[in-house]
Amino acid sequence: QSVLTQPPSASGTPGQRVTISCSGSTSNIGNNIVNWYQQLPGTAPKLLIYNSGQRPSGVPDRFSGSKSGTSASLAISGLQSEDEADYYCAAWDDSLSGYVFGTGTKVTVL
Amino acid sequence: QVQLVQSGPEVKQPGASVRVSCKASGYTFTSFFLHWVRQAPGQGLEWMGVMHPNVGTTIYAQRFQGRVSLTRDTSTSTVYMDLSGLRSDDTAVYYCAREKPSSYCFDYWGQGTLVTVSS
């Protein structure tokens, strides 16, 4: 029962730009920072974007994040085959007093 | 380097309990929150709870209240997740993850532990 809504899938050809949306509410995205995780098949999630728009060391600058109101988005520019993975947004939820993840988006490189 | 190493796969019967361990190394164990996240087969990520190993304080997700318990052993830098009253829909990969300070995000993850609940 995820409270953050993402599109189930997104796709693009190599080199294209893909954007993934994450819709929440004032109790989560609206009042708290958003983080994004990438999960390759059969592996643990990996932190991709934190504090709504910062990249950990080692994450290519092709990945960028933004937030506006109760929504956030992740953009992948210059899509590459190794970007094929599941992507999850996440934030703390003040009403639930817990951490919530998005429903997840599967990115396919055509 | 920071590592979180979890215990091995478990197979349990419905109604039983399971304990999954998460041994931390490469950093000061008592200085970082440790969270637990699970993922059912083919499903998304679900947060279960968090512990601060220094004082042992915990917060649990509402849907797991009364069934989950997080404890720690500071002498071995290990956090334990106990889940009771197992049901078939508790079949999942369970991850521990370290929280990056002041950012509500998880910068290091364990390798995951598959818990299968089946009669």
Side-chain angles (χ1 to χ4, degrees):
Chain A
Q1 308 87 322
S2 300
V3 298
L4 303 182
T5 303
Q6 301 178 231
S9 63
S11 62
T13 57
Q16 277 192 325
R17 176 184 171 92
V18 169
T19 302
I20 300 168
S21 62
C22 175
S23 178
S25 67
T26 53
S27 65
N28 41 67
I29 294 177
N31 282 333
N32 295 296
I33 55 177
V34 179
N35 305 300
W36 289 88
Y37 298 91
Q38 177 193 59
Q39 187 177 31
L40 298 171
T43 68
K46 168 190 166 184
L47 180 63
L48 196 65
I49 296 287
Y50 68 99
N51 287 354
S52 301
Q54 295 184 264
R55 287 183 304 277
S57 173
V59 173
D61 59 7
R62 307 185 285 104
F63 295 93
S64 61
S66 62
K67 186 183 97 164
S68 178
T70 59
S71 294
S73 64
L74 172 73
I76 310 173
S77 59
L79 191 65
Q80 298 184 6
S81 57
E82 59 260 38
D83 300 333
E84 197 160 275
D86 294 323
Y87 293 83
Y88 295 90
C89 58
W92 184 261
D93 189 291
D94 296 327
S95 295
L96 296 174
S97 294
Y99 200 72
V100 291
F101 287 95
T103 49
T105 298
K106 182 175 183 61
V107 169
T108 301
V109 181
L110 302 171
Chain B
Q1 71 284 18
V2 174
Q3 280 193 308
L4 299 174
V5 179
Q6 299 182 220
S7 49
E10 300 270 6
V11 179
K12 296 291 183 180
Q13 293 199 327
S17 298
V18 69
R19 166 170 281 198
V20 180
S21 66
C22 172
K23 182 174 174 60
S25 62
Y27 71 97
T28 303
F29 174 69
T30 51
S31 296
F32 293 78
F33 287 96
L34 260 179
H35 296 250
W36 288 84
V37 175
R38 77 176 189 179
Q39 186 171 37
Q43 302 300 308
L45 303 171
E46 181 176 33
W47 181 79
M48 299 181 69
V50 57
M51 157 175 275
H52 197 292
N54 187 34
V55 294
T57 52
T58 55
I59 301 174
Y60 301 124
Q62 291 173 4
R63 66 168 296 187
F64 295 106
Q65 290 274 2
R67 280 213 305 145
V68 69
S69 176
L70 300 181
T71 56
R72 91 287 193 206
D73 182 345
T74 55
S75 69
T76 60
S77 300
T78 302
V79 173
Y80 300 94
M81 188 280 297
D82 292 296
L83 187 62
S84 61
L86 290 171
R87 308 183 291 254
S88 58
D89 61 357
D90 290 318
T91 294
V93 176
Y94 290 76
Y95 295 101
C96 60
R98 191 188 82 163
E99 181 180 320
K100 184 177 176 65
S102 305
S103 66
Y104 285 108
C105 70
F106 311 143
D107 57 356
Y108 288 93
W109 293 68
Q111 82 276 18
T113 297
L114 175 61
V115 175
T116 302
V117 183
S118 173
S119 55

